[in-house]
DNA sequence: TCCCCGTTTGCATTCGAATGCAATACTGCC
DNA sequence: GGCAGTATTGCATTCGAATGCAAACGGGGA
């Protein structure tokens, strides 16, 4: 026979331990199940019961224990959000949108920030230990990691990434399309020689962007192309630009940078290091459409990702999968929009 | 007598449910307690036992259930991190540092992003439901909210904020000192008329900065001061600057903006809207020392907060309080460092 | 060989809420 | 008043791991 001694709050005021549903039940003179039901949505409870319980609960400062609830319901109501390099100018907006969407749905966000995209191993372990209901990741997982996650039947949505040889959910901005668009516009406006500032090697997004640009340049018959590579970020942008100049000897007509931050770095280096006028002497374009790209001193021509819609979409895609685990994988691709800043000479939209 | 039927994984391979310590115990032919102990740090277990259990666990893909563990140990190993306005250029760095410190200590971060500093009510409720071990907040709590949290005996550390009439832990950068420093330097360099661009009314930090600047200006006998107020952020910075100009009729010698983003806005507006040369015609200073403040086109003179040390300090302060709840409240204040950018005419450091 | 003491191990209970089932309370209706 | 039918309520069990206690084990010394 299981007895429940339940020392509980002697005084009901200064108790060192937090009130449980049993304490509330005792205080209200009802059963624990009743308390439980009052604090659920669809459960049946008379108004009288509800009032008594709520009154007792308030007096005791009772709050249902989400941990205990999670144990019995097999639902933690938490999702893991994995992000690499938070200081990247782009991610904060994504993260903000995601947490907002999730919390609207009563879902909490367990945040995992990776220093590099590769550090996911320990993180995967943690996510599984905490029995998150789903995973939304803006970092890559290895096939081994995916297998682990699949075995645990946890739905995953990739943000701006996807996994070859593995059917997964993803929401992304079409990077290649965006780069094609930029290239088309640049070529149409007469640019013939190009520099490409490539992003970090471990970033899928970076390589998609590079390939998008290169393919389209090839299509257009452009052959004078110089590629230099670095990390995302302002400082590397500057450094890459000077490497580019060193490599070529003279400035190309246009530079395609892998991110806005790098584009801004290029602009500064072009102006300060090489006395080039942007866009008169050289056009520089970026990607993302982050806030600082709109600073007047740069006004970067770029592809703006529809972050809000993407995040919204990713969140609901994940929530759907949590509610119905048998939904088949789905990939959604969004198109970016071209922002005609003054960092590049383009023909106006209606020409 | 409590029996444990434990249907568990029939096959051990394709089981729909995740393996538990009982499954591992059965597979290894040992007791559940043994499994539990193998997966703990200080617990006693022979090497033979350890090997058998680990082998079985690996075969079954077992991972301890952190939820169940939290229930029995009364420790969730999660802390709540509350941040308002993630898209503020300043917070991502803080958040990154915090998550890093916490995860080094085996603590997970439950993220709560507020749209406005006032939205904390629901958030407090959630934090308590999830039984977080501690709270680190970069948003204000009302006295009522603090009372709720105190009753639950959850340690709280405020980041760049503090609560009057309430002894709390906090880590902050001395905003007033920083502003005094800026003012001193500006006055010493001959600036006599000032504009102050104030931050949002609901931000404690903003008002500390304003008061710091005003007090020191008064000390120095400066009386020609115009104050305009807005939100943090680039766009408001621009807009505030033109309001400032409209209000005064002519440009002040110097503008003190409540944040770097606003300072950058002011610089752009001064240049574009009023053809002013920065810093020749007007000096503009900011606060924070965020990344974009170092972009060459702005090179903002500002106070850089030692974010890394502050975050580190805040995290360990919270961890200490979690481990020893009886530690008395403590406030730590860090000094910022002056960054002599080219957005303001200052006398050089050694003059 | 026997005994003592320190390790390992297992047993049984515990954490706090949810829930299937059975018991009870209400409702309306004849 | 009596009865069927529904809405509430309570009982007992469950989720998965941790842990105090006692039993079993192992090694060393006499």
């Amino acid at each position: 026979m299981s007895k429940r001694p339940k020392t509980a709050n002697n005084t009901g005021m200064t108790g060192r331990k937090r009130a449980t549903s049993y304490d509330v039940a005792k205080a209200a003179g009802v059963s624990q199940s009743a308390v439980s039901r009052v604090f659920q949505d669809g459960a049946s409870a008379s108004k009288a019961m509800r009032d008594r319980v709520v009154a007792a609960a308030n007096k005791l400062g009772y709050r249902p224990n989400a941990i205990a609830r999670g144990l019995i319901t097999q639902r933690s109501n938490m999702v893991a959000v994995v992000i690499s390099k938070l200081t990247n100018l782009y991610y904060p907006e994504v993260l903000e949108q995601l947490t907002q969407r999730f919390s609207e749905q009563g879902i909490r966000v367990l945040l995992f920030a990776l220093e590099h995209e590769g550090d996911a191993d320990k993180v995967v372990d943690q996510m599984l230990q905490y029995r998150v209901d789903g995973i939304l990741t803006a970092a890559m997982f290895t096939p081994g990691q995916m297998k682990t996650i699949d075995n645990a039947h946890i739905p995953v949505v990739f943000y701006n990434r996807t996994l070859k040889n593995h059917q997964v959910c993803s929401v992304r901005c079409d990077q290649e399309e965006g780069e094609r668009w930029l290239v088309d516009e640049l070529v149409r406006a007469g640019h013939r020689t190009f520099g490409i500032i490539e992003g970090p090697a471990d970033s899928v997004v970076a390589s998609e962007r590079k390939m998008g640009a290169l393919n389209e340049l090839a299509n257009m018959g452009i052959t004078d192309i110089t590629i230099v590579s670095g990390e995302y970020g302002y400082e590397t942008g500057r450094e890459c630009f000077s490497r580019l100049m060193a490599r070529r000897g003279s400035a190309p007509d246009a530079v395609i940078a892998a991110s806005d931050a790098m584009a801004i770095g290029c602009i500064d280096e072009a102006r300060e290091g090489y006395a080039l006028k942007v866009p008169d002497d050289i056009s520089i374009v970026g990607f993302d459409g982050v806030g600082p790209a709109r600073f007047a001193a740069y006004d970067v021509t770029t592809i703006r990702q529809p972050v809000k819609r993407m995040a919204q979409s990713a969140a609901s895609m994940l929530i759907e999968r949590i509610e119905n685990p048998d939904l088949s994988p789905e990939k959604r691709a969004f198109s970016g929009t071209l922002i005609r800043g003054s960092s590049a000479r383009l023909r106006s939209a209606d020409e």
Side-chain angles (χ1 to χ4, degrees), chain A:
Chain A
M1 299 298 117
S2 63
K3 283 177 238 156
R4 294 203 168 258
K6 278 296 146 200
T7 332
N9 286 11
N10 330 340
T11 71
M13 293 294 286
T14 46
R16 194 96 198 127
K17 295 189 56 83
R18 329 254 297 251
T20 73
S21 58
Y22 285 97
D23 299 325
V24 176
K26 189 154 47 130
V30 301
S31 75
Q32 178 270 330
S33 357
V35 177
S36 169
R37 284 192 264 255
V38 166
F39 281 88
Q40 270 178 85
D41 304 309
S44 84
S46 65
K47 176 154 173 10
M49 165 69 59
R50 210 170 284 276
D51 292 345
R52 297 185 56 161
V53 169
V54 168
N58 285 340
K59 187 155 53 200
L60 298 179
Y62 169 75
R63 276 180 175 69
N65 182 329
I67 300 284
R69 172 180 293 168
L71 184 58
I72 186 73
T73 60
Q74 307 280 37
R75 273 288 209 100
S76 62
N77 281 310
M78 299 191 294
V79 298
V81 170
V82 185
I83 286 210
S84 65
K85 275 278 155 222
L86 245 181
T87 42
N88 190 316
L89 289 171
Y90 174 70
Y91 285 127
E93 195 182 349
V94 178
L95 186 53
E96 177 167 69
Q97 290 298 326
L98 287 176
T99 48
Q100 219 148 289
R101 296 290 151 260
F102 282 124
S103 73
E104 281 168 10
Q105 305 297 317
I107 293 177
R108 251 63 49 199
V109 168
L110 210 46
L111 177 67
F112 295 91
L114 271 43
E115 283 217 73
H116 303 288
E117 274 207 51
D119 302 345
D121 247 349
K122 267 171 39 194
V123 157
V124 167
D125 193 61
Q126 291 300 321
M127 296 185 303
L128 296 198
Q129 291 203 12
Y130 275 83
R131 300 302 193 258
V132 295
D133 296 333
I135 299 173
L136 207 159
T137 176
M140 215 48 203
F141 289 151
T142 65
Q145 290 163 348
M146 270 314 284
K147 191 151 155 284
T148 307
I149 295 171
D150 280 351
N151 283 342
H153 307 292
I154 302 179
V156 182
V157 170
F158 282 85
Y159 189 93
N160 265 351
R161 277 157 189 70
T162 188
L163 209 53
K164 292 134 247 308
N165 312 325
H166 217 292
Q167 295 220 330
V168 293
C169 286
S170 68
V171 168
R172 38 186 280 279
C173 177
D174 194 327
Q175 317 284 337
E176 305 203 17
E177 177 193 69
E179 290 292 352
R180 282 203 305 274
W181 195 354
L182 286 171
V183 168
D184 282 351
E185 291 282 342
L186 287 168
V187 173
R188 211 156 67 91
H191 300 77
R192 292 293 174 269
T193 61
F194 284 79
I196 291 189
I197 312 281
E198 184 185 7
D202 65 349
S203 158
V204 192
V205 171
S207 79
E208 286 178 6
R209 289 181 185 172
K210 179 175 79 164
M211 292 319 296
L214 286 179
N215 288 340
E216 189 65 3
L217 284 168
N219 282 348
M220 310 287 282
I222 304 285
T223 53
D224 185 342
I225 303 170
T226 312
I227 304 179
V228 300
S229 56
E231 303 297 307
Y232 287 121
Y234 174 77
E235 281 304 334
T236 7
R238 293 195 69 146
E239 190 234 316
C240 286
F241 188 83
S242 53
R243 265 194 287 138
L244 176 68
M245 291 297 284
R247 189 93 61 80
R248 304 186 97 255
S250 69
D253 295 341
V255 170
I256 297 177
S259 75
D260 287 343
M262 295 183 100
I264 290 174
C266 287
I267 294 173
D268 275 342
E269 191 62 23
R271 287 175 177 157
E272 291 207 335
Y274 298 89
L276 294 169
K277 287 212 163 39
V278 179
D280 305 303
D281 301 330
I282 185 171
S283 286
I284 295 176
V285 303
F287 208 110
D288 287 339
V290 298
R294 297 275 59 73
F295 290 173
Y298 303 107
D299 190 22
V300 182
T301 295
T302 188
I303 299 287
R304 160 119 185 116
Q305 301 192 44
V307 176
K308 208 161 172 170
R309 280 190 301 139
M310 289 169 64
Q312 172 106 257
S313 171
S316 37
M317 185 184 276
L318 185 58
I319 293 172
E320 282 171 20
R321 296 299 182 294
I322 291 173
E323 254 136 43
N324 182 356
D326 297 321
L327 285 178
S328 57
E330 178 185 352
K331 296 188 197 305
R332 298 184 192 155
F334 289 79
S335 293
T337 55
L338 177 68
I339 297 197
R340 299 172 176 272
S342 52
S343 74
R345 273 171 292 120
L346 301 187
R347 295 162 77 175
S348 68
D350 39 81
E351 269 177 276

